[in-house]
Amino acid sequence: MIWQNFIDPALSTRICLTLVHSVWQMAALLFIVWCSGLIWKNRTVETSYTMNVAALLVGLLALPITFLMVDVVDVPEQANVSIKATADSPATPPSMTPDKTAMAPTAKSQATGLPLAHNKPTGSTSTSDAALATHSSNGKLFGWLQYMPWVVAFYLAGVVIMLARLGLAMIKANQLGAQAMVIKEGPLVESLQSLANQWSMKIVPTLAYTEQIMIPTVIGLIRPMILIPASILSGLTTGELDMFLKHELAHVRRYDMWVNLLQRLAETILFFNPVLWYLSRRISTLREFCCDEITCQEDTEPNFEQRVQYATALLRVVELSNPNFVINPDLASLAASGRSPSEVRRRVARLFGEPLREPIRFSRSMALSIAATALLLVCGPTLWSTYAKVNQSPEPIPQKNKIATTDKSTKPFSFGSKVEVLSIGTYNEKPQRWWNSKGTLLPSVPYHIQGAQVAVSENQIGRQLVFRISNLPTGCSVKWKLSNTGSSANGEVVLDGVESPPGYRSQIFNTRKGTKSFDLSVGVASSQWTTVSEANSYASSTATRDNQGIIFSGAFIKKNPNTKKEELVTVVTHSLQKSDVRVIAVDSQGKTHTASKSAQQYAGGTAPVHQTRWYFRNLELKNFDHFEFQKREFEWVELKDLPLYPSETSNTLSEKKTTQENSETSTPVKHVTPEKLPIVVAKHVLLLNGNQIITWNELEQKFAAMPDPSSVRPAFYITRGATEAGLYKTTKAKIWELHRKFKLGGHSEGSLWPRTDFRYDHIKTVDDLRPDPALKFTGTILNSKGEPVEGAEVVLIKPVDKSISYKTYHMALVQGRIRNRLEHIMTLSDSNGQFELYPPKNPWYYIVALHPKAGFSLNRSDWILPDKKLKLLPWSGLKTNIDEVPNETQTVSLRTQIEATEAWPEIILNQYWSDLPKSVQTEGFQYQHIPPINRTTISRSFRGQDGGSFSIPGASVSLLPGEIRELGLGPLSKQQSLQLNRMRESSRKRRELIDKKLKGQKKVKKE
């Protein structure tokens, strides 16, 4: 090897080991700095900067020490090796010239202890058996030594490239200083000289301006120069320019350019070390924070007004910069100031004491793409061969879909079944009316619908539908869908006290006012099953001839959440949208086993897929042979133009009757908005307002004691723990019993976030509602003037429990208040601004305080001062203008994000247009209560058919405290229009899937 002539393998090995050791050494130093930060929570930013620079210096000093300490394992010397040739084994092969240096060790090899290359003895030798044994055992250990020179060569090449990069940056910096226009006199020069004299600086840097930079910068080590962008000389006030001069002069005073050079040299030597890059970036960030603190100080004390002025100046610099200008990263690497508007945003957040967010630049998507590429390279041939085998299988013959489009109320199927619309009725209207498919009013109906609810807004009407499917074949599957309607829910028909009589189906739905009719489509799958794919116990990916992918996870044992027993299970992902599908298992004896399915998921988009777990109760893994994925097609019939209102004749008679009844009543009817009463149905207890344990009997007594129970509309929240404990059905029965007995003004059923369910499900007795006195935290809420704030909502945000997969903490705000207090651990401040909370023993929590008039404050646990005074920052405001979109109703929603840092959770603050009062909505898309500093995303929301909405992000802003900004989103782009259409299509298919799932659950109950 030619490199062995220039780089000794032993030396190469020591260099490589030293570089490898540098990775864990830097990581250990960074970990020590991180731990010290946890212990020393009230440290200043200057202290943090010093600790990180010290870690960098120690890491660099460890390199030569490690090189001296690292040693290469020696092999005992092999002296006096001689080989005797025999008649059967010549000493010299015919095609090879014998090398005498291979017969005895050289001086160099003896000194380094390197293994020797020599011919294999074929006859009697004088080599020591012990020496040969030692060499044989270490041969594998030293086999890689021959590659070390190449590794070092590549490393040196990388160092040369990094040195060239650094040198080029220095040359460009010198050229930039030479081309800049020096400012020799004026108020800026006087301010610079005054600051230098005040700080007793021996060297006063030169002041110059140039058009080639975006933000103020310091260049030069021996003779520093402060460069000012020409764009800000006329765009900023003298006071703001003085603050930037003070910031840049602070860099010179602190000798930051020398530390910066040390960072660049470290990055050159250890360019391969990701920990070093992170540490260097951390030092650069803290350096800016240190100079920001110096800039905002007056008489050694930080000034709030100074911070606001400086933050405004920073953002103003970004606005004045040329948006098409991209700062040179090499030049910025020598600059002592920040590099990008994103860094400016972090600096502004730091000025106001907000949590620092410094995400690592290596994106997760990049790592996942690399892993996926590697996986495809390994598994690609196998997947392709499986795909080829499936394509050789015969194509299944689908059953032809049949759609009838006549306008009668009864529609037959080809196999003898028929669909009959029994009645259509009003929903949540008085009086209750029913009519048939022709619009004729019915005097009464012998059934009612239970177990379903939908929300009906002011611009919508609610309707109920009951239909019957007669003569259904055994083992068939049924699904249906409504057209020209909004959101809907499947209910249970109760006929003469019997729930869900055979063939009866019901639907509750809403639709826009003014809509005259709707369509009902019913599909039944009853044909023979056709196998389209097979898989053994290993995961496999297959596809049908029409490129509909099917992926099996393989066979494994898992507890069935329904039966609570260990069963054979497989997870199947497929993209068949219009067919009825199932998975069967075949055992080693050829017997087939059917499955029950649960945990069905749906992913929309351009290629929507279904993912379902299939459980097999009476099949053991050892007897399993293979799975078969089967499908069959639906036959459809359609009933069109079903009336949403009774006919005019019937309607006139009804109106006359209603008028006559009203004329006999002397007192006009007064409509009162029902009062909401939140009730949490948890796993072990019933909670009134989320904080008072109550029984069903006590709740009934409470309603009985009310003067007018009809003015109350209880809101029931059933937790996941209660549902898993089998309380859902009994709870529904109790709710309807209360509803009928006290003629309540209505009731609602909602769900809470998993983290909230987890908290309520762990409450068993009154003792669980009492906090630990040892954890008591007493603080004070102050406004921006330092005055106590009464009535501020104070929320404790803890990390989500490890058992819950979704870790983000959501909070909905309405005009500076929390929308649903049940979701949070919270309290209110008293007249002195004081509050009490009980945070956990671990340090990973937030305290959020908000008041509609005083402002908002987000306080991370390690940022709270010993006096425990939390100061509110004034709310920001935003007015958004959007262009109209034909045939669309648009609103604007906001989403403020606080990113996760270390063990502190991610927080999302949502504000929805629909939550605002009507009087506020008439003023346009204005939000007056936006949390300042943090990034807020403005989304355009479009109304969906089900009453919901679809949001498309439009822009993101970070507002200063008290700032009010007006922003225009412009017209809807072509890409956004396509995204909106995809979301609507995905929502439609998701509703179909949910309807099918509910129908399957009802079928399982019947069986």
Side-chain angles (χ1 to χ4, degrees), residues 210-496:
T210 178
E211 297 180 354
Q212 301 182 39
I213 60 174
M214 186 172 63
I215 56 178
T217 305
V218 177
I219 62 173
L221 297 172
I222 307 299
R223 296 179 180 177
M225 174 183 288
I226 298 178
L227 295 178
I228 303 294
S231 59
I232 73 173
L233 285 177
S234 58
L236 297 181
T237 64
T238 304
E240 291 172 337
L241 289 172
D242 287 343
M243 299 184 77
F244 281 112
L245 287 180
K246 188 175 181 181
H247 179 98
E248 301 304 324
L249 192 61
H251 282 303
V252 179
R253 180 192 181 191
R254 290 161 33 88
Y255 300 100
D256 285 342
M257 293 77 67
W258 293 96
V259 179
N260 207 33
L261 178 62
L262 178 66
Q263 292 175 239
R264 304 291 87 79
L265 294 176
E267 292 168 0
T268 300
I269 299 173
L270 301 176
F271 64 91
F272 59 89
N273 192 333
V275 182
L276 181 277
W277 284 97
Y278 175 81
L279 180 61
S280 179
R281 185 165 66 94
R282 173 74 174 166
I283 291 173
S284 300
T285 302
L286 291 174
R287 180 167 55 240
E288 292 305 310
F289 293 162
C290 290
C291 293
D292 288 342
E293 288 292 328
I294 295 174
T295 304
C296 295
Q297 283 182 353
E298 284 188 0
D299 298 329
T300 70
E301 292 293 334
N303 184 282
F304 181 79
E305 299 297 332
Q306 194 89 346
R307 291 176 184 270
V308 173
Q309 183 181 0
Y310 183 55
T312 304
L314 282 173
L315 296 179
R316 182 60 179 159
V317 167
V318 177
E319 294 176 357
L320 291 174
S321 62
N322 187 351
N324 297 322
F325 177 77
V326 180
I327 190 167
N328 189 306
D330 296 330
L331 178 61
S333 67
L334 288 178
S337 60
R339 299 189 297 177
S340 65
S342 62
E343 183 173 335
V344 170
R345 180 173 60 85
R346 290 196 293 272
R347 289 167 60 183
V348 171
R350 174 63 181 79
L351 287 174
F352 294 99
E354 294 298 320
L356 178 61
R357 305 181 297 278
E358 298 177 54
I360 298 176
R361 294 185 178 179
F362 295 103
S363 64
R364 183 182 302 176
S365 59
M366 182 184 299
L368 290 177
S369 63
I370 294 173
T373 303
L375 184 62
L376 288 175
L377 291 175
V378 175
C379 303
T382 304
L383 296 178
W384 181 257
S385 63
T386 306
Y387 175 84
K389 290 181 181 178
V390 172
N391 275 344
Q392 294 174 0
S393 59
E395 181 178 2
I397 302 176
Q399 177 181 344
K400 184 178 180 181
N401 291 352
K402 179 181 179 181
I403 301 179
T405 57
T406 59
D407 58 354
K408 296 182 180 180
S409 63
T410 302
K411 298 295 181 292
F413 289 94
S414 62
F415 45 82
S417 298
K418 65 178 181 180
V419 179
E420 179 183 5
V421 175
L422 300 178
S423 61
I424 306 163
T426 58
Y427 173 69
N428 275 356
E429 293 182 13
K430 292 183 180 181
Q432 173 68 56
R433 295 183 296 170
W434 293 93
W435 56 90
N436 60 19
S437 60
K438 296 181 180 179
T440 304
L441 281 171
L442 302 175
S444 63
V445 293
Y447 44 73
H448 67 272
I449 301 174
Q450 68 178 24
Q453 287 185 337
V454 295
V456 181
S457 66
E458 295 181 353
N459 299 323
Q460 295 177 326
I461 58 172
R463 291 294 181 260
Q464 304 179 72
L465 168 68
V466 179
F467 62 97
R468 179 175 56 196
I469 310 174
S470 58
N471 301 323
L472 280 173
T474 304
C476 68
S477 299
V478 180
K479 67 178 181 180
W480 64 92
K481 57 185 178 181
L482 304 180
S483 302
N484 206 23
T485 61
S487 59
S488 61
N490 297 341
E492 293 184 355
V493 178
V494 180
L495 176 64
D496 297 329

Side-chain angles (χ1 to χ4, degrees), residues 1 4 9 13 72-73 75 113-117 134-151:
M1 184 181 297
Q4 285 182 329
T13 302
V72 182
V73 180
V75 176
L114 295 177
L116 301 172
T134 302
H135 176 70
S136 176
S137 63
N138 287 278
K140 294 181 179 180
L141 177 64
F142 286 88
W144 53 272
L145 284 174
Q146 57 180 330
Y147 300 106
M148 289 302 98
W150 288 103
V151 175

